[in-house]
Amino acid sequence: MQVADTVKKEPDGSLNRVVIGRIASTAFIVASALFLVSDLLFPGAYSKASTLVVGGLTLVAGFASWWIPWEHLPRSTVLWMVPFALFAVDLGYVYAVRNGFNYSVTFVIIFVLVGLTQPRWTSLQLAPLLVVAYVLPLLITSDHMSTSGLGSAIYVVPVCLMLGEATAWGMSRLAEASSEIAEGEESIRQLFDEAPIGISKMGVDGRILEVNRAFGEIVGSAPEDLVGLDILDLTHPDDVAETTSLIASLLAGEIDRFQFEKRYVHADGHLVWVSVNGTVVRDSNDRPLFLIGQIEDIAERRTLRDELALHAVTDPLTGLPNRSLFMEHLGSALPRAEAAGRHVALMFLDLDRFKLVNDGIGHDAGDRLLRRVGQRLGGALRSGDVLARFGGDEFTVLCEVAGEDEVMDVVQRLRQALSTPVAEPDFEQFVSLSIGVALSTSESMAPAVLLRCADVAMYQAKGLGPGRYVIYEDRDDGDAGRNLRTSNELHRAILGSQLVLHYQPFVNVDDLQVVGTEALVRWQHPERGLLPPEEFVELAEECGLMVQLGAWVLHEACRQGAQWIVGRAAAGVGGRIPAMSVNISPQQLSEPGFADVVAGVLDDTGFPAERLWLEITEGALLRDPAAAIAILQALRALDVHLSIDDFGTGYSSLSYLKRLPVEALKIDSSFVEQLEHGADDRAIVEAIVALGRTLGLGIVAEGIERPDQAIELAGLGCNIAQGFLYARPADPAAIGAYLPQSIADWESGSRFAPLADLR
Ligand code: C2E
Ligand code: MG
Ligand code: MG
């Protein structure tokens, strides 16, 4: 393109000096040949000799000028041709043909040539020369033609100048326009070449016409090597069909552009993920001319996206599927198993005493232990079974089985996998599992229900001791369905304001002074009325709502307690602030950060920590005693008091009772109820009171309904009592704007006089 430019044009757009030189030479040769031929064939006024001399000389000059190296001469040299040419014309007129038309046209031609070859204003500068050259031969020859010829100078000279200038002007405009076009083309080319994204131009047949550097880099080839290839040759076989169909839709005008992600095959064979933007360029008749593809390398973006996606469904510690991926597997396994006439077995695995191990060997080692356990469990499973880490030390297994025998087989494999200790350079640890299994009974069984059943079974297994397993007993579908419905309602109840607290005072049996109240939760069900905790607390525990429910109870009780404190102060009631006792479920206690929750509630409500009692059950201590003790200690550190509720009904081992930072035992109402009937119960109560005394714990008796029970208990040494005899649980309004100091002062009235009066 650059070579062609130098041949055709000078930098200012005028014709190249070589071209113009050749044109001049050719004109010279042709004109002299014509002159010679015409004058020799049809002799005129001149002698043959003069014709031969003049014609011969001009012919020779024409040929000679052909060899002039115009390209090496400055352009001004061409300008020197002008006086020579004018001189030659003059000579021709004086000595050869005296034809007025030819004479004037020759001048016109010369000045057009000046316009073509020279910059603007050159013709005007040559005006004096032109006048002289035109007029001089006419004056010299002075015949009749000359006389009229002189007159023609008035037209010819301005015409020559005007044509010369007009041509030069036209040439300069042309030069400007073409340099603008060239600049535009250049910047487009640079954009194309240097664009950071790959660009390809393809024919409608999909053959590559041109690609830029970035495109070449993406597919690992030089751009020129790609020209002529079919774009499908670079496309991964799996993406060929989609590419073909998109290009077809584009060419058919069904879409204006497309954007999709596809794979190219790099020159070295690896796959390159790209995002392709395709468009088509059409002519004025709307016929497709070529295709343009913009290609962006998205390998990094995709890797990141894949990693994120993987991260979202895997447990970072063990690399196993996490809870959400597991639930997804469960969701698809249920209908599949049903269709195959099989069952889905869901196993909930919990490492026994992991907290203790973790504290003993350190958290880093604990993490490694979990990883190794994950590997072992995974290795014990059959292909198709899914193992997931549910969080903490909990794993879940999903497998499709024909029946319980197959389940037993899997359970044995899992236990076998952990039969030898996990040995690491810095520790060696035996690990046992508590396993809860639930078997699907029908496709319609919701994944969450199956999971809940397995969880309940696992809790039961924990209750049996370490290394045990329990298979959840099927309830019929109706029951499960009802439970599910109620659990949804309960969830709404917790979120809404359908839960209420009633408060039951407990008193000092000697003087009936109110020592405190226990908060007891009720559900104000919109259809079923006020429901007691038996109706929903267990359900809340089974479907994981207990933590939320318990947190609400704790907050509400403390808020109410704080309000009563303010009421008492305003009413000028003296004495000790009554305690607030709140029941805490095992699940709350095993929730990490429970102590922080309690601290947050105290902070929020302003209720004094030293007046808050938390009632825990023996069951809460069974699952993971070491962890429970740690939490209880954290709670005690807040100044909160702890008591064991329903004492005597659980399986508390006396050995760790003394390690617990509790300060009171609440004797279960069943013993109180039986007190007068059997010596056994009496003995148990006596033993509990003695035990409490020995350990320096307070003893509270609950469920006291009759005065004789109260007298009996007081005789055994139990001085704090709670029961319908003193007061039934009641809503806060019934208790009053403030707590009375003595139960005897209570508006609802007591049927009971202080023990002192009875004795
Ligand atoms: P609990 O903590 O042992 O509470 C005492 C239960 O005995 C209460 O039943 C109370 O109404 C009842 N009671 C009190 N005095 C007498 C009496 O003289 N005779 C008889 N027969 N019963 C008496 P309630 O309110 O139905 O609560 C039952 C259980 O539900 C509670 O036993 C407690 O374990 C649980 N619960 C109640 N509220 C909550 C709560 O907010 N969180 C947790 N985790 N459990 C709660
Ligand atoms: Mg209680
Ligand atoms: Mg109790």
Side-chain angles (χ1 to χ4, degrees), residues 668-677 703 705-706 709:
D668 190 63
S669 54
S670 59
F671 302 117
V672 175
E673 201 181 318
Q674 298 291 321
L675 217 45
E676 81 273 27
H677 297 305
E705 296 180 348
R706 299 185 312 274
Q709 292 170 327

Side-chain angles (χ1 to χ4, degrees), residues 518-520 581-583 615 645-646 666 702 722:
E518 177 178 3
L520 296 159
S581 199
V582 178
N583 294 284
E615 296 185 10
D645 203 357
D646 305 337
K666 289 184 86 172
E702 56 183 3
Q722 189 183 11

Side-chain angles (χ1 to χ4, degrees), residues 404-477:
E404 272 192 26
D405 286 352
E406 219 177 318
V407 171
M408 299 299 301
D409 176 50
V410 179
V411 168
Q412 287 316 328
R413 283 156 173 268
L414 292 171
R415 288 163 52 144
Q416 186 64 32
L418 296 180
S419 58
T420 53
V422 173
E424 286 274 299
D426 50 341
F427 68 85
E428 191 176 83
Q429 185 68 49
F430 267 105
V431 182
S432 70
L433 290 172
S434 294
I435 305 177
V437 187
L439 272 176
S440 67
T441 47
S442 75
E443 181 192 351
S444 56
M445 202 160 186
V449 174
L450 197 61
L451 186 71
R452 198 176 76 210
C453 297
D455 191 30
V456 168
M458 197 272 292
Y459 267 83
Q460 289 168 354
K462 276 271 170 206
L464 298 177
R468 307 294 290 269
Y469 72 91
V470 167
I471 299 183
Y472 186 82
E473 270 183 40
D474 270 347
R475 304 182 190 179
D476 64 41
D477 273 349

Side-chain angles (χ1 to χ4, degrees), residues 513-515 568 573-579 610-611 613 641 741:
Q513 289 293 303
V514 175
V515 182
R568 284 165 66 90
V573 180
R576 203 160 182 225
I577 293 166
E610 68 280 4
R611 297 312 288 143
W613 281 77
H641 304 284
Q741 261 178 289

Side-chain angles (χ1 to χ4, degrees), residues 2 12 26 49 103 113 129 149 257 409 501 680 702:
Q2 262 183 338
D12 65 355
T26 314
Y103 180 66
L113 283 176
L129 190 64
R257 57 172 58 241
D409 176 50
L501 290 187
D680 283 355
E702 56 183 3

